[in-house]
Amino acid sequence: MAGRYGGGHGGRGGGGRAGGRRPEPEPVKGVRDDARLSQELRRMDGDSYGRYKSLKGDWDFGDFTLTVQRVQADPFAPPSRILVTVPDPGVPESAWGDPVRRRATADFLGRRAGRLLHRSLLRVDTGGQEVIERSSCRITDGGGVELRIGIDLPGRGRRIDGRAAERELCATLPGLVDDLDWDEIDRDAAAAFADSVVDTVALRSRLADLGLVAFVADGAILPRRSGVADEPLTEGAVPFASPADLRVTVDLPHRGTVTGMGVPEGITLIVGGGFHGKSTLLHALERGVHDHVPGDGRELVVARADAVKIRAEEGRRVERVDVGSFVRDLPTGADTADFRTDNASGSTSQAANICEALEAGSRTLLVDEDSTATNLMIRDERMQALVHGDREPLTPFVDLIRPLYRNHGVSTVLVMGGSGDYFDVADHVIMMDAYHPHDVTERARKLSRDRIDAVFTAPRDRVIDPSSVDGTDARGRGRIKRRDMDVLVFGDDDIDVRSIEQFVDPGQIVGAGLALRALVRDGHLDGRRTLAEALDSLESALAEHGIIHVGADFGGDHVLPRRHEVAAVLNRLRSLKVTEQRPRRV
């Protein structure tokens, strides 16, 4: 299977004579240890680049094993892939004995490897500011370490540069393994890194008991350095300070007592003038579903794990989604309880995004008016007077937001700067003023008016045809790769993922593609389970086996996605077919 899904590059460089390709060279036989590898690389110097393929397989370095998994076709192709297995680097059980510390310690070691290799041809995926399980560095049961590394095997034109390859694989790589030995690292720093992640996870786990959907610690730094740099702003950033009426105190395992703003369950508006920090706060909450590295400024900014950012997405495909609570009596006569379109409008796409998020299990919606469809958000009195209700098929979100919470337990955090209609339905109103939050709930209530709520009916569950989720191309080859942060290539389909705003790491996009494959391959999506049940089954397998469950045979870097992003990608697959709808309760 490794060749079939060789890093998502369409099986490039495969063996055999099919298609006029030359046969691959036979793997090196006999003793395969570090001395033999060094010897072979020197012998290869100046040979045709394809001879590198003879290195595939395991090489014994004594204290670790180097596995050459995939070799690039030429110096200009995507990097080759190697696996380094270190059975006993001395990592104590205290650093990997529970799942949270294991993930944090693996992330710490992966980042250290990335720093040590920054001047070499060896590449380790270290990610950004989030601490998410990734394929590049894993700690196995017993404390072993696995590193998955990319390497641009060196060449001079299309000839092997054996001396440079020997330097990378037989000198730089063993030096890296030595430097990752537990006796060689700053163990206090490793423990502090893991302690920080443990505190974040503990804080997020407390939210439901505290009646909160999110928490922002006092002193947090929310602004980022720039629109393309996720590191914290260092000059001029205003540390967060919670309003007294929303201040919450929480005791954490390592930091002890911390205070911050609790965002309560229900409907919370974030208001204020332009450029005063509304969207910055919401953006921090979007990212609060993930843990962050120490020093990020958002280590103790958390949201419930099921929080989903909602937006309009004009032009997307919608496949048999029950949007009947938002849309009814279309002039076309289409059944909006079983709605399908290849080119959704802004309003119908946003309605579908909400209903799909609920289907996938979200009970916390994050909305910024700047990225919504205005006609689905509000209809003021003058427009209602001009366009009578019997001529308007849309029920605005403002009329459904309260029954969503009251009857179905779905909370909403909404940035709103252009309409006071939501004062009528808000439980709490936070005003951002020069990046300082103020609780203005009572002032907003004095401006509110009575409103008649509409009825929100739980959207029906869907059963997916597994044969419509096919990650193979027209030639039967597995094909999963990404193009930047915009497109997931899944078989013959290009899935537009630009509007899935909670993808924070490129590897998550590939991980979501692998999760789609696993949904079908491993029988989670079997044509009988609903989508929600299939996601439950996949999530259980991931909790038990980790990211290896979806990508053991994949030759590229990938990162563990949430179920919500997996569902979002699936829903944007244009080949998707739904066979059945079933009633459900939100």
Side-chain angles (χ1 to χ4, degrees):
M1 293 293 289
R4 188 179 178 206
Y5 283 91
H9 300 291
R12 190 172 182 177
R17 295 184 180 274
R21 294 175 181 167
R22 295 180 180 179
E24 288 190 6
E26 289 291 325
V28 174
K29 300 185 183 300
V31 175
R32 290 172 62 96
D33 59 14
D34 54 335
R36 178 73 183 281
L37 178 60
S38 179
Q39 181 184 64
E40 290 294 327
L41 289 169
R42 289 196 299 271
R43 285 177 176 173
M44 288 180 183
D45 190 58
D47 283 356
S48 174
Y49 198 87
R51 192 178 167 193
Y52 268 135
K53 293 182 182 293
S54 67
L55 302 179
K56 282 186 178 180
D58 294 342
W59 296 88
D60 182 6
F61 276 64
D63 55 348
F64 72 93
T65 299
L66 163 63
T67 304
V68 179
Q69 297 179 306
R70 182 174 63 80
V71 176
Q72 63 205 89
D74 58 60
F76 312 103
S80 302
R81 301 294 305 184
I82 62 175
L83 168 66
V84 176
T85 305
V86 189
D88 186 20
V91 183
E93 187 171 0
S94 60
W96 57 264
D98 72 79
V100 176
R101 297 197 81 87
R102 180 180 298 206
R103 170 166 56 88
T105 301
D107 191 275
F108 180 87
L109 292 176
R111 291 174 191 273
R112 176 172 170 80
R115 290 192 298 271
L116 292 169
L117 295 175
H118 77 286
R119 294 184 181 276
S120 80
L121 299 177
L122 299 161
R123 305 175 184 175
V124 177
D125 173 30
T126 59
Q129 298 296 97
E130 289 79 20
V131 181
I132 317 173
E133 185 180 351
R134 57 187 64 247
S135 63
S136 56
C137 186
R138 296 180 62 247
I139 297 179
T140 60
D141 290 338
V145 172
E146 293 179 351
L147 281 172
R148 288 170 173 80
I149 300 174
I151 175 173
D152 287 309
L153 287 171
R156 294 185 292 267
R158 296 185 182 275
R159 297 287 174 178
I160 289 173
D161 186 345
R163 298 288 180 177
E166 180 190 21
R167 183 171 60 251
E168 294 293 329
L169 294 177
C170 300
T172 301
L173 190 60
L176 171 68
V177 173
D178 288 343
D179 286 336
L180 291 181
D181 189 278
W182 199 253
D183 288 336
E184 298 298 321
I185 71 168
D186 184 337
R187 284 172 279 185
D188 289 339
F193 189 101
D195 288 348
S196 178
V197 176
V198 168
D199 278 346
T200 304
V201 172
L203 177 58
R204 190 178 296 108
S205 71
R206 293 282 311 278
L207 292 177
D209 290 340
L210 294 169
L212 304 176
V213 296
F215 178 93
V216 184
D218 289 328
I221 300 298
L222 306 188
R224 300 293 94 187
R225 196 172 71 197
S226 73
V228 294
D230 201 36
E231 293 79 13
L233 182 67
T234 55
E235 294 185 13
V238 177
F240 192 88
S242 60
D245 290 347
L246 294 175
R247 184 167 291 129
V248 175
T249 300
V250 185
D251 290 324
L252 299 178
H254 300 287
R255 290 177 182 259
T257 301
V258 298
T259 63
M261 182 180 77
V263 180
E265 295 171 343
I267 302 159
T268 299
L269 298 189
I270 303 173
V271 301
F275 306 100
H276 280 260
K278 305 186 302 297
S279 295
T280 299
L281 173 56
L282 189 73
H283 184 68
L285 299 185
E286 292 171 34
R287 298 296 181 100
V289 299
H290 296 297
D291 309 322
H292 289 84
V293 297
D296 173 77
R298 300 170 296 185
E299 299 94 315
L300 296 181
V301 179
V302 298
R304 288 196 187 178
D306 66 357
V308 172
K309 175 71 181 298
I310 300 296
R311 60 169 298 147
E313 193 177 345
E314 187 172 356
R316 65 154 291 197
R317 182 174 186 261
V318 176
E319 170 63 9
R320 298 192 63 182
V321 177
D322 180 359
V323 296
S325 292
F326 290 97
V327 189
R328 67 187 188 284
D329 300 329
L330 288 175
T332 61
D335 181 3
T336 59
D338 193 351
F339 183 69
R340 171 191 281 143
T341 179
D342 288 326
N343 188 19
S345 66
S347 56
T348 54
S349 65
Q350 184 178 334
N353 288 345
I354 292 171
C355 294
E356 290 167 352
L358 301 183
E359 180 185 31
S362 176
R363 297 297 173 269
T364 307
L365 306 180
L366 308 176
V367 185
D368 190 330
E369 67 166 336
D370 285 349
S371 56
T372 60
T374 301
N375 59 341
L376 191 71
M377 296 299 290
I378 56 170
R379 288 185 71 233
D380 64 24
E381 291 180 355
R382 286 177 290 182
M383 187 60 70
Q384 292 182 44
L386 180 64
V387 181
H388 295 291
D390 60 352
R391 309 303 298 171
E392 172 54 72
L394 297 177
T395 301
F397 190 50
V398 70
D399 292 340
L400 294 168
I401 193 169
R402 284 217 62 79
L404 255 176
Y405 175 61
R406 183 177 59 241
N407 301 329
H408 304 287
V410 178
S411 297
T412 302
V413 181
L414 171 62
V415 167
M416 179 60 70
S419 172
D421 285 9
Y422 279 85
F423 293 162
D424 305 342
V425 296
D427 296 307
H428 297 89
V429 182
I430 300 167
M431 184 170 70
M432 298 299 295
D433 183 5
Y435 285 91
H436 293 282
H438 302 273
D439 183 357
V440 294
T441 304
E442 292 306 317
R443 289 168 56 189
R445 283 177 179 161
K446 293 177 182 178
L447 301 172
S448 66
R449 295 175 292 184
D450 291 336
R451 177 178 291 274
I452 299 174
D453 293 333
V455 175
F456 185 88
T457 302
R460 287 179 286 185
D461 268 331
R462 297 173 297 162
V463 178
I464 306 299
D465 177 0
S467 68
S468 69
V469 185
D470 184 1
T472 59
D473 62 16
R475 298 172 63 182
R477 301 175 303 179
R479 193 160 174 255
I480 296 172
K481 65 178 183 179
R482 64 173 179 85
R483 291 202 290 268
D484 296 320
M485 293 289 286
D486 297 337
V487 172
L488 169 66
V489 178
F490 186 73
D492 280 330
D493 288 284
D494 286 357
I495 305 175
D496 187 342
V497 299
R498 288 174 297 175
S499 294
I500 306 175
E501 296 187 47
Q502 285 172 286
F503 274 137
V504 299
D505 189 292
Q508 286 179 303
I509 297 174
V510 177
L514 293 170
L516 295 193
R517 182 183 63 151
L519 279 169
V520 177
R521 179 196 66 190
D522 300 332
H524 306 293
L525 206 62
D526 59 2
R528 297 183 298 276
R529 290 187 176 110
T530 65
L531 174 56
E533 291 167 341
L535 292 169
D536 288 343
S537 179
L538 174 65
E539 198 168 50
S540 295
L542 288 169
E544 181 177 356
H545 302 294
I547 196 170
I548 203 70
H549 175 71
V550 298
D553 64 336
F554 186 73
D557 295 318
H558 48 289
V559 178
L560 191 67
R562 295 192 307 161
R563 64 183 284 151
H564 305 285
E565 282 70 65
V566 174
V569 169
L570 180 66
N571 284 315
R572 286 154 182 79
L573 177 65
R574 288 192 173 267
S575 64
L576 184 71
K577 299 296 181 185
V578 172
T579 60
E580 181 185 351
Q581 288 183 320
R582 295 177 186 171
R584 74 185 296 261
R585 290 182 179 179
V586 176

